[in-house]
Amino acid sequence: MITTRCIDTDTARIAVHLRGHGPVALLVHGYPLDHRMWLETLRSELAARRTLVAVDLRGHGQSPWMGNREHGMELLAQDLADVLAVLTDQPADVVALSMGGYVALALQAMQPRLFRSLCLVDTRATADSDAVRAARKTSLTTVVEQGRRAIADSMLGKLLAPQADLLARGRVQSMIESTPVETILADLHGLMARPDRTSSLSRIAVPTLVVVGEHDAITPPAEARAMAAAIPGARCEVVPGAGHMVPIEAPAAFLQLLDSFWRD
Ligand code: MLT
């Protein structure tokens, strides 16, 4: 059974969804999503070997928006550090997708000792390009003037591979449409402001796996390979047929990769 728990930190109330036994594995979702993107992972047999903990970043899922105008990656990373401090006194396996990966890289730079291993999924270490920043500025207005449905409409084609089924589309759409407008605004500001972390990749000293969908249009395989090449000992796995949402689009392949990574 998946249980839900709220953790009050000094600055936020963070919901976590847990299943399993053993060392903590923290699952960090992307923008503008929530813990539900890890449903298959939470329900998997990996729960026999890890306490799987899918977090709702502040303002997402069951964690309320706390009034921040900007969700900087360091702010979100501090929330993860606070959550881990409550859940475990041991280093954790961190699995993080896209914006979750930006947050995990911020946490890795701030508190590397919290990590036992790192799995970066459909993410990048670089900052936004000028074109991406301009698109985010448009999204700031779009979400206020036209609502979350317009954000979902503009993102779905980029988040999922063309062959993704209706259920995958529906799930991603539901998550985007249930994310508060305030959160979307704060996330967009935080995403635009995030620094390039490429130079810190060489300092990652824990086992690292990079996973990317073959058709990922947001963080393409070439970028994932370059990121893995910059992390000592890291491996990059490209998942055939999937887009930017590998854990939803290709859960069996994803879980197999995670399983063998954690067994290494
Ligand atoms: C995500 O999935 O978290 C976003 O697509 C990340 C981004 O827009 O850079």
Side-chain angles (χ1 to χ4, degrees), residues 27-49:
L27 312 173
V28 192
H29 62 78
Y31 157 84
L33 308 172
D34 60 51
H35 75 279
R36 288 175 287 175
M37 60 148 291
W38 299 113
L39 205 55
E40 290 85 352
T41 310
L42 280 173
R43 288 200 176 136
S44 72
E45 290 177 5
L46 293 174
R49 293 194 288 128

Side-chain angles (χ1 to χ4, degrees), residues 13-214:
R13 167 162 290 190
I14 304 294
V16 290
H17 308 270
L18 307 95
R19 181 166 173 265
H21 308 280
V24 164
L26 191 65
L27 312 173
V28 192
H29 62 78
Y31 157 84
L33 308 172
D34 60 51
H35 75 279
R36 288 175 287 175
M37 60 148 291
W38 299 113
L39 205 55
E40 290 85 352
T41 310
L42 280 173
R43 288 200 176 136
S44 72
E45 290 177 5
L46 293 174
R49 293 194 288 128
R50 292 290 189 281
T51 303
L52 302 166
V53 181
V55 66
D56 279 328
L57 293 170
R58 64 168 69 200
H60 299 253
Q62 295 175 31
S63 299
W65 178 66
M66 299 304 296
N68 308 93
R69 290 182 67 83
E70 178 175 315
H71 286 163
M73 300 304 114
E74 293 76 10
L75 176 74
L76 302 179
Q78 186 56 51
D79 289 342
L80 297 186
D82 293 342
V83 163
L84 285 173
V86 170
L87 295 177
T88 181
D89 56 7
Q90 299 297 313
D93 298 296
V94 176
V95 184
L97 180 133
S98 201
M99 182 177 80
Y102 312 155
V103 176
L105 289 176
L107 183 60
Q108 171 70 38
M110 287 158 59
Q111 300 202 45
R113 274 180 296 229
L114 295 181
F115 289 73
R116 180 164 114 143
S117 72
L118 177 59
C119 177
L120 294 166
V121 189
D122 297 303
T123 191
R124 58 157 57 93
T126 50
D128 279 355
S129 64
D130 290 345
V132 169
R133 214 165 272 145
R136 296 207 201 277
K137 284 188 181 145
T138 305
S139 297
L140 289 171
T141 321
T142 303
V143 71
V144 174
E145 290 179 353
Q146 298 171 44
R148 295 170 289 192
R149 178 61 194 252
I151 296 294
D153 287 346
S154 70
M155 288 191 75
L156 271 174
K158 285 183 275 182
L159 288 170
L160 297 163
Q163 61 264 46
D165 66 15
L166 275 179
L167 183 58
R169 286 171 189 277
R171 284 175 64 187
V172 173
Q173 184 174 331
S174 287
M175 283 189 271
I176 296 176
E177 289 190 22
S178 61
T179 302
V181 170
E182 300 89 320
T183 295
I184 292 177
L185 293 172
D187 284 358
L188 286 166
H189 284 296
L191 288 165
M192 282 192 276
R194 77 182 195 284
D196 184 337
R197 293 198 187 274
T198 308
S199 64
S200 61
L201 295 176
S202 62
R203 291 194 288 278
I204 297 178
V206 290
T208 302
L209 172 67
V210 174
V211 177
V212 64
E214 178 191 14

